Amino acid sequence: MLSDKILRIFFAFILIMLISCSDKSEKVPALNYEDKKQMLEITKKFFDENTTQAFGGVFDETGRETIIAGIEKNDKSEWGIKFYQLRLVDNEFEIIFETKLLEGSFKESLVDKIKFPMRDYELIYYNSQGYFMGSGGGEVISYIIDFGKKDIYYAHLVADPVIPPSLFISKNTQDKYIREFFYTYFKKDYPKLRLVDEDITLD
């Protein structure tokens, strides 16, 4: 009968709605911010499936735990990496701060949390390592991201056969501990390292 058909369609519709609602309302499990594996799994599932780096911890002066997610963009309109600071609010991740698109790749890179004196929270350290290095030398790009100050400190090493090993540190890097960290990190591999006032662009 027609009424039975309508009833079956109605119940099928209700069932589909219930399934889709249950998917949307899936609860974010209890977070262990020190579990890097869980941070990545949770961030990929509930924030962005393209997340390749994720760290939990205290990253600003509020003292609250948040997640830093790193995503690599690699399409016609965007190329580079971005970091997002995320806070869990009502079972959804809210973006507190996001960096601009930064030059770099997560392939062959080193990314980790780092702590400096005079701050009660951690920062994020990125080093491109071998990604930009060619057989005859090349360059290394490094960032330290301070989510508390919403600032990005940048260092660029050029180790090219044509010029002596040179390191540029961005002008906004006034913190002596961060400047020393950049310099001593690269000095280990390049004893004749020199600091330069202007960034160097390789042809």
Side-chain angles (χ1 to χ4, degrees):
M1 290 178 66
L2 187 62
S3 60
D4 288 341
K5 237 181 201 178
I6 292 169
L7 207 56
R8 281 199 298 273
I9 292 168
F10 174 74
F11 280 121
F13 175 75
I14 293 294
L15 187 62
I16 290 166
M17 289 297 292
L18 285 171
I19 290 168
S20 73
C21 286
S22 68
D23 286 345
K24 286 179 184 174
S25 63
E26 185 178 352
K27 293 282 184 191
V28 176
L31 298 176
N32 176 2
Y33 289 91
E34 292 307 313
D35 184 343
K36 192 180 172 192
K37 184 181 175 187
Q38 190 210 34
M39 292 295 98
L40 184 58
E41 289 172 354
I42 293 293
T43 311
K44 285 173 82 75
K45 185 172 184 178
F46 293 95
F47 174 62
D48 191 313
E49 64 182 7
N50 297 310
T51 303
T52 56
Q53 302 286 334
F55 302 90
V58 175
F59 297 101
D60 57 37
E61 59 284 330
T62 65
R64 294 177 185 158
E65 289 179 307
T66 56
I67 296 174
I68 305 301
I71 295 174
E72 184 162 348
K73 310 277 186 178
N74 192 5
D75 55 44
K76 290 177 183 176
S77 60
E78 291 184 305
W79 179 86
I81 57 175
K82 284 189 84 166
F83 290 92
Y84 300 81
Q85 184 182 18
L86 308 173
R87 174 174 54 205
L88 187 61
V89 179
D90 296 330
N91 204 50
E92 287 187 0
F93 283 113
E94 176 184 273
I95 298 172
I96 301 170
F97 174 71
E98 64 184 89
T99 67
K100 63 183 180 180
L101 190 65
L102 304 171
E103 188 177 359
S105 171
F106 289 127
K107 298 179 185 75
E108 300 181 38
S109 69
L110 168 67
V111 189
D112 209 346
K113 298 189 290 186
I114 191 168
K115 189 85 166 58
F116 286 97
M118 311 303 289
R119 283 175 177 80
D120 295 328
Y121 53 87
E122 293 176 298
L123 289 71
I124 291 292
Y125 174 62
Y126 166 87
N127 186 306
S128 65
Q129 296 200 120
Y131 186 73
F132 291 98
M133 300 296 282
S135 58
E139 55 189 320
V140 176
I141 291 171
S142 187
Y143 302 105
I144 290 175
I145 305 166
D146 185 333
F147 289 90
K149 296 181 184 296
K150 297 179 171 48
D151 221 341
I152 300 166
Y153 309 111
Y154 163 75
H156 181 201
L157 169 78
V158 174
D160 189 79
V162 180
I163 59 173
S166 304
L167 181 67
F168 170 76
I169 300 175
S170 60
K171 302 281 195 288
N172 69 321
T173 312
Q174 298 298 316
D175 186 308
K176 69 175 184 177
Y177 295 105
I178 295 178
R179 289 188 68 84
E180 283 175 14
F181 175 82
F182 279 139
Y183 183 71
T184 54
Y185 182 91
F186 291 112
K187 180 83 170 171
K188 288 181 295 183
D189 294 324
Y190 301 94
K192 294 184 178 179
L193 183 68
R194 62 172 188 161
L195 285 171
V196 294
D197 294 329
E198 298 296 328
D199 203 355
I200 298 169
T201 305
L202 293 178
D203 294 330

